[in-house]
Amino acid sequence: MITIVTFGLPALLLAAAAFWMRPRPEDVPRPSNAASTAVLLVAWAVAITGFNPAVEHASDLLTRDLAKLVSNVLMLGASLAVVGFLFALNYKPGKARAKLLPRLWLLALAIAVMSVAFFATPADRRWSSPFTNAHWGQAPATLTVYTIAYVAFMGHATYDALAQTWRRSTETDWRVHKFGLQAVTAGCFFVLLYLLYKVVNAAASLAHVDLFPGGPHCTSLVTPYRCAFSFTAPLSGVLLITAGLTVPAMAWPLVKHRLTAWQRQTAQVMAPLWQDITAVDPDVVLNTIRSTEPDLFLHRRTVEIADGILTLEKHRSLAVQKAAREAVAAAGLSGAEADAVVEAAIVAGAIQAARWGAADQDEPAPLADRGSVREADLDEEAIWLRLVAEQYTGSDIVHRIAAAHQPPALDPA
């Protein structure tokens, strides 16, 4: 199982990195965070490969426990890749590079200290040696120095990741993004558990106590039981952090596609209402360059309809409003749907009155609270006007009331 996990996951991560860096048409720009995402995925893929039994065996053939040094160094590099990815998200490129540079020097220092401590330790006194396994309390001090360097850098990187994800989680309203950041936080918890294991194990050796006995290699995710801390905990952290940082980014194209489809559909639903309003009041059409971008087109149409409703205020009939409310109550409608039916009926009556050149209402029906584009969010306004447009074209109540209140029979009050 360990072999499958430590070969299968890197393959998936490398495939995801290739997806982000795939060639694109000249007119399609690469996402700004594509490079940092690819680096993150490759770094974790390499780090997980370092835990593979075949890689560990090949490393240990060179010198005892070299696999431990290799996997630890790869983990440090992967942790810095996470920090670099978060800096790329949270800061402009120049500032992100400035913040990352000192951490690169710290990484180089940590790797140097760990390498010196590792090779300064005699092979027959390293972690998996018979002597150290039998006399854990007499492990060389160089192994403790190794652990301190490793834990210090990994702890600093984990703190960086927690600080950055916490900052982002308080600023985002996108649920998928928030879920991803929470996954990163959970991943950092597993990394901290792993670091705690390292510290406790080092302290136990100084106290001549062997708290985590077992062979040099893991036979499963939890056997010997130290593997739950030395292998499964960091691997879980890797998976959660990688998924939390990359899944929301990879889900964005799907979300964008759905949003674009909704924007196009909403603009189409609004078209009949927009056509009738602009026919009686062409001045509401904005004198700006027309755009085919779905979001800009929808926002433009939303503003023009909202402005048209404002200019038709003088034709908004209280009689139509009263009849619409009675019909809505009789039909058992409530909430936003009922409000949209009433507003659609009033707007339909106002459009008819403007076509006929009817006299202004002495006391116009008030604008719907949901329809104030001046104070409301433009996206929320689009949602509201879509409801009104749907009722304008599809509601029997609106059609019936519009037919019963033809100008000049519109009552002024």
Side-chain angles (χ1 to χ4, degrees):
M1 182 178 180
I2 292 179
T3 300
I4 295 175
V5 170
T6 52
F7 267 157
L9 284 177
L12 291 175
L13 294 174
L14 290 175
F19 169 81
W20 279 99
M21 299 306 293
R22 72 189 187 280
R24 301 170 187 266
E26 293 183 359
D27 59 338
V28 179
R30 193 183 303 276
S32 58
N33 65 333
S36 57
T37 302
V39 170
L40 170 70
L41 293 170
V42 171
W44 279 121
V46 175
I48 295 173
T49 303
F51 286 97
N52 185 271
V55 175
E56 290 183 336
H57 179 70
S59 300
D60 288 347
L61 288 177
L62 299 176
T63 181
R64 182 189 294 273
D65 287 337
L66 181 60
K68 185 180 184 69
L69 174 63
V70 171
S71 64
N72 287 166
V73 167
L74 294 177
M75 282 291 291
L76 292 185
S79 67
L80 185 60
V82 171
V83 176
F85 178 86
L86 292 170
F87 283 161
L89 288 181
N90 290 336
Y91 300 100
K92 294 181 179 179
K95 187 173 183 180
R97 286 192 294 270
K99 293 180 73 67
L100 187 61
L101 183 59
R103 289 165 174 79
L104 286 171
W105 285 109
L106 287 176
L107 174 62
L109 177 61
I111 292 175
V113 172
M114 289 165 56
S115 299
V116 170
F118 176 83
F119 288 106
T121 305
D124 60 355
R125 292 294 187 271
R126 292 175 190 158
W127 299 279
S128 65
S129 66
F131 175 85
T132 301
N133 274 284
H135 307 87
W136 184 246
Q138 300 178 35
T142 49
L143 297 184
T144 303
V145 173
Y146 177 102
T147 300
I148 291 174
Y150 178 80
V151 170
F153 185 87
M154 182 67 80
H156 188 274
T158 304
Y159 170 79
D160 268 342
L162 279 173
Q164 296 294 311
T165 52
W166 177 257
R167 173 188 170 188
R168 296 280 293 185
S169 66
T170 59
E171 296 174 351
T172 183
D173 294 323
W174 188 27
R175 285 181 297 176
V176 175
H177 195 188
K178 189 179 290 291
F179 177 79
L181 294 172
Q182 291 170 348
V184 174
T185 302
C188 290
F189 166 78
F190 281 103
V191 173
L192 291 175
L193 180 64
Y194 169 60
L195 295 179
L196 180 62
Y197 153 77
K198 301 286 287 185
V199 171
V200 170
N201 199 32
S205 72
L206 295 176
H208 306 290
V209 177
D210 187 5
L211 292 177
F212 302 96
H217 299 296
C218 295
T219 56
S220 77
L221 296 177
V222 293
T223 55
Y225 75 89
R226 66 170 179 80
C227 293
F229 303 99
S230 66
F231 176 79
T232 305
L235 181 62
S236 300
V238 167
L239 295 178
L240 287 168
I241 292 172
T242 304
L245 293 178
T246 58
V247 170
M250 298 179 73
W252 172 243
L254 299 177
V255 174
K256 180 65 174 177
H257 175 74
R258 290 183 57 188
L259 178 61
T260 298
W262 181 86
Q263 290 167 340
R264 289 197 177 100
Q265 184 185 51
T266 299
Q268 292 174 355
V269 170
M270 289 180 175
L273 177 59
W274 176 85
Q275 290 169 353
D276 289 348
I277 287 178
T278 56
V280 298
D281 190 1
D283 291 339
V284 299
V285 178
L286 299 175
N287 294 322
T288 57
I289 299 175
R290 294 186 178 274
S291 173
T292 58
E293 290 295 325
D295 57 340
L296 296 178
F297 183 78
L298 175 60
H299 286 170
R300 178 191 175 99
R301 179 155 289 181
T302 299
V303 171
E304 290 171 348
I305 292 176
D307 285 348
I309 290 175
L310 288 174
T311 61
L312 291 171
E313 182 178 7
K314 60 188 177 182
H315 294 302
R316 295 171 64 89
S317 170
L318 286 173
V320 171
Q321 182 187 57
K322 180 181 178 182
R325 285 179 173 173
E326 290 174 351
V328 164
L333 301 179
S334 61
E337 183 182 6
D339 293 341
V341 170
V342 173
E343 179 65 11
I346 296 173
V347 171
I351 291 173
Q352 289 182 152
R355 283 175 181 161
W356 284 74
D360 297 350
Q361 296 288 310
D362 293 336
E363 184 181 352
L367 294 168
D369 291 339
R370 295 175 182 266
S372 178
V373 74
R374 296 295 178 261
E375 291 82 20
D377 178 81
L378 201 55
D379 291 332
E380 292 296 324
E381 182 71 6
I383 294 173
W384 162 245
L385 290 180
R386 172 174 175 153
L387 288 175
V388 174
E390 288 173 339
Q391 301 304 328
Y392 179 81
T393 56
S395 172
D396 291 337
I397 294 175
V398 172
H399 296 160
R400 186 171 66 250
I401 292 175
H405 292 79
Q406 289 286 337
L410 282 166
D411 298 325

